[in-house]
Amino acid sequence: MPNPLDKVLELQIQRTMNALEANNMEAHYVERAEQVKDFVAQMIPEGATVANGGSATLAATGVLDLLSSGKYNFLDRRTVTGEALDKMFHDSFNADWYLASSNAVTEKGELFNVDGNANRVAAITFGPKNVLLIVGCNKIVPDLAAAQARVKAIAAPANTIRLNCKTPCAVTGQCADCHSPARVCCTTTIHQFQRVKGRIKVLLVGEPLGF
């Protein structure tokens, strides 16, 4: 007998994909994390200018290695600091492709994202011709209330620990709605519909990825 939990996940993913498509966003699916890199290679033409937002998912799936392979004009944020990094964030708005993950995706086809510097949510919202978000199944939630709860309970504390931020949640693992200079949850965006049909593409992965 097939695992009933697998069937529940399959139905949840299908509901979410249908809702994303209804909201003018392309929805794609791969079963395993190891398939993500090949999907990206097929999606993005060689020579394209590509930028990315900070993402544990892109690193874990090998996508950053692919982008830095020399096949693309990759605006690699890992190679610069200070004013050069700020310039690269602004140059990203003119990229052919912008890759990131999403803090949560609702079963109603909504994208919920929270940023510290806001460069990621800004680029997802406007600028790059194509946006590809790679999202593990652990980030699918029923609605926006659950998305916000997920960020406060999981995504924000985990990311502050990953980035060595000096915030209360990095110590306690719980959101404190702080006023720390290193706060990572400064700007929240909700994408409920994409006016430019297909500009935002969401690749759902049938395995947990990132925070």
Side-chain angles (χ1 to χ4, degrees):
M1 177 181 177
N3 187 335
L5 291 177
D6 291 341
K7 184 61 177 180
V8 169
L9 177 60
E10 177 187 333
L11 293 171
Q12 182 188 42
I13 289 173
Q14 191 59 61
R15 280 196 303 275
T16 305
M17 293 180 68
N18 291 343
L20 286 166
E21 292 282 353
N23 291 340
N24 263 4
M25 294 179 251
E26 284 186 18
H28 303 272
Y29 172 74
V30 294
E31 185 177 359
R32 298 183 303 279
E34 65 189 35
Q35 298 172 285
V36 170
K37 187 166 71 170
D38 287 342
F39 176 91
V40 173
Q42 293 175 11
M43 180 71 73
I44 303 178
E46 292 190 17
T49 296
V50 186
N52 72 286
S55 169
T57 294
L58 296 184
T61 54
V63 169
L64 294 182
D65 293 333
L66 170 67
L67 298 181
S68 58
S69 66
K71 295 180 179 180
Y72 309 97
N73 176 27
F74 180 35
L75 305 182
D76 191 348
R77 51 183 285 161
R78 300 171 299 177
T79 63
V80 292
T81 58
E83 292 184 5
L85 178 59
D86 184 67
K87 182 179 184 302
M88 186 172 287
F89 284 160
H90 286 86
D91 289 344
S92 296
F93 283 89
N94 294 316
D96 299 312
W97 287 80
Y98 189 85
L99 274 65
S101 188
S102 185
N103 295 126
V105 178
T106 76
E107 292 181 29
K108 297 178 181 179
E110 302 154 318
L111 308 177
F112 187 92
N113 284 289
V114 181
D115 256 12
N117 193 49
N119 60 289
R120 178 179 64 107
V121 295
I124 292 172
T125 301
F126 181 81
K129 299 178 183 68
N130 298 278
V131 174
L132 175 60
L133 304 178
I134 299 168
V135 184
C137 62
N138 52 313
K139 297 183 178 181
I140 300 175
V141 296
D143 52 35
L144 291 173
Q148 184 176 36
R150 184 184 188 281
V151 169
K152 287 181 174 290
I154 300 172
N159 276 303
T160 57
I161 293 170
R162 174 175 69 93
L163 298 170
N164 295 314
C165 295
K166 297 186 184 303
T167 59
C169 66
V171 177
T172 66
Q174 296 178 314
C175 177
D177 193 22
C178 70
H179 289 81
S180 167
R183 176 172 168 153
V184 299
C185 48
C186 299
T187 303
T188 299
T189 61
I190 299 169
H191 289 86
Q192 295 175 299
F193 191 84
Q194 174 54 222
R195 181 172 290 183
V196 181
K197 183 176 177 62
R199 174 181 169 267
I200 294 179
K201 304 156 183 48
V202 181
L203 174 63
L204 297 176
V205 184
E207 292 183 338
L209 286 169
F211 311 122

